[in-house]
Amino acid sequence: MRRHSFTGRAMRMALREHAAAFLAVQLVLIFVALMMDFADSFDTIRAAAGDRPLALVIAEYALYRSADVVARLMPVAALLGAFLAEIRRRALLETVILSAAGVSALPTFAALLWMGALTGALEWKLERDWRPAAVFAQVDLGAGDYARRFAPGLTDDSHWFVRENSALAARVLVGPSPELREVSYFIGLNGGGFDRLIKAESARPLGGGVWTFDGAEIWTMTPDGALIGNPTGTLELPLWFAPNRLSYLAPSPFYLPQDVLEARAAAVPEDSDVQTTIWRRRTAWLLPGLFSMLGATLAMTGFRGRVTRVPVLVAMAFGGYLVTLSLKVFWALGEQGVMPVPLAVLIPPGLALILTVGLQWLMNREARGRRLPLG
């Protein structure tokens, strides 16, 4: 019987319903997100089209944006799709007939396991590879908000790079061959000032962490607080940040390609923002399956016998929304270093699992004659 729960007709019926509901919800979310995005980005899309057919550029842009939208909203689609699928199955009396025939909820959860395996693999691939590639494809296309925010070129203002007793301020030439311009490099910072200040027209990476400073001057501070400058022309000095830090200056870590993210994590292992992204990508495969199981369970609690408990369904839908919202809340806590990164990333899926198991246990007690505390 248990083997048939994973392959039998009841499982296949549940799988069809849940797959259709998930796809429908995901498509609606993509459509709504794209319509809102087009309202803000259409002018940039039209400008990016140039001599190319506008419809082709719109389709290309929509494909890139969809990768980003699906990666962001798949847990929501999984939870809401499973919630609606179970309500529809109840309305069609599918679950009633199966229950009367002595079939448990096991085929439903077997279907959700199959769904979770497929959607989890897709979510992992999106988070790790396809979403970053799609974001920077938009930058290359020159359309949309990402193109404005992450466009290559020289920054208008100076950016600061600080580590221990050193700090560097410079305008950054963002792109595949990054440079620093109008450089001020403070060495030996302390409460009373600094040991040396190196000013340079530009700085370029040579490799191995070494940079060449052109048009350089070395300024030192005398004991009486005066600055003495000494032009030196060209200097070669090590810096603590890798060139790819400048190639991807503005994007948050979760937009970065995997190799760039890993390089940044190796260079600055204490960066909680980067570590949170690494943990998010490692655990992305868990989210769709766990949230779909939670959504199905929340819907199941809305029915007792032939009675539909509408207030319970509404309360459960709101509770599911809060659990999905907790993803961003706990990720933000991890990124800010407020709580340990592994804990921040694992709490939301752990909460989804605990709620699913707890509610299923309560419904099992109810089926044996105990009333469910929710009514």
Side-chain angles (χ1 to χ4, degrees), residues 285-304:
W285 62 275
L286 290 170
L287 297 181
L290 288 176
F291 277 83
S292 63
M293 290 182 186
L294 176 61
T297 298
L298 294 175
M300 291 174 187
T301 62
F303 305 100
R304 175 190 287 139

Side-chain angles (χ1 to χ4, degrees), residues 10-353:
M11 188 283 297
R12 295 196 299 272
M13 292 171 60
L15 183 59
R16 282 198 302 270
E17 292 288 344
H18 280 276
F22 169 79
L23 288 174
V25 171
Q26 189 70 82
L27 288 173
V28 169
L29 293 176
I30 292 173
F31 178 80
V32 172
L34 287 179
M35 290 304 100
M36 295 174 62
D37 187 86
F38 282 144
D40 294 329
S41 303
F42 189 75
D43 288 342
T44 65
I45 296 172
R46 185 164 50 190
D51 297 331
R52 299 174 62 193
L54 180 59
L56 183 62
V57 177
I58 290 175
E60 184 179 355
Y61 178 77
L63 176 64
Y64 298 149
R65 285 296 295 133
S66 295
D68 189 26
V69 171
V70 172
R72 289 174 181 270
L73 298 181
M74 189 180 292
V76 177
L79 185 138
L80 185 56
F83 187 84
L84 295 176
E86 283 304 304
I87 292 177
R88 185 174 187 275
R89 294 179 73 207
R90 171 70 185 207
L92 296 174
L93 300 181
E94 181 181 324
T95 53
V96 175
I97 295 170
L98 289 172
S99 178
V103 179
S104 69
L106 189 58
T108 298
F109 282 95
L112 293 175
L113 282 174
W114 286 112
M115 282 283 296
L118 294 173
T119 55
L122 178 60
E123 177 75 351
W124 176 80
K125 189 64 176 177
L126 280 165
E127 284 280 1
R128 187 183 187 277
D129 297 316
W130 293 343
R131 182 191 190 185
V135 166
F136 288 101
Q138 291 174 60
V139 175
D140 294 338
L141 183 64
D145 182 57
Y146 291 144
R148 290 192 295 267
R149 289 160 55 191
F150 306 153
L154 187 63
T155 60
D156 295 329
D157 302 317
S158 292
H159 285 258
W160 282 90
F161 305 88
V162 180
R163 185 177 186 182
E164 297 174 351
N165 63 345
S166 300
L168 185 147
R171 297 174 68 191
V172 180
L173 180 62
V174 179
S177 300
E179 291 185 17
L180 300 172
R181 303 281 178 83
E182 301 172 19
V183 183
S184 297
Y185 180 19
F186 299 88
I187 301 173
L189 289 172
N190 53 64
F194 54 85
D195 295 335
R196 287 189 298 164
L197 166 61
I198 297 175
K199 297 184 71 68
E201 297 174 0
S202 65
R204 293 174 289 104
L206 294 178
V210 177
W211 294 63
T212 179
F213 290 72
D214 295 320
E217 297 177 344
I218 300 178
W219 293 77
T220 56
M221 183 175 290
T222 64
D224 59 0
L227 285 174
I228 299 176
N230 179 28
T232 58
T234 300
L235 283 175
E236 292 184 3
L237 295 171
L239 291 178
W240 60 91
F241 48 86
N244 64 32
R245 176 69 179 86
L246 309 182
S247 300
Y248 299 92
L249 183 65
S252 298
F254 51 83
Y255 293 123
L256 297 178
Q258 185 66 19
D259 56 341
V260 176
L261 181 69
E262 291 173 352
R264 191 170 297 184
V268 190
E270 68 276 9
D271 189 330
S272 58
D273 201 357
V274 170
Q275 292 299 327
T276 300
T277 300
I278 288 176
W279 273 85
R280 281 177 56 177
R281 293 182 179 181
R282 287 175 180 171
T283 59
W285 62 275
L286 290 170
L287 297 181
L290 288 176
F291 277 83
S292 63
M293 290 182 186
L294 176 61
T297 298
L298 294 175
M300 291 174 187
T301 62
F303 305 100
R304 175 190 287 139
R306 291 178 293 177
V307 178
T308 299
R309 300 180 286 193
V310 176
V312 173
L313 278 175
V314 173
M316 289 298 163
F318 181 69
Y321 166 75
L322 292 180
V323 176
T324 58
L325 185 63
S326 74
L327 282 170
K328 290 189 175 181
V329 173
F330 282 100
W331 287 345
L333 292 175
E335 289 165 358
Q336 299 299 319
V338 175
M339 64 188 308
V341 168
L343 192 62
V345 174
L346 292 174
I347 281 179
L351 181 61
L353 179 61

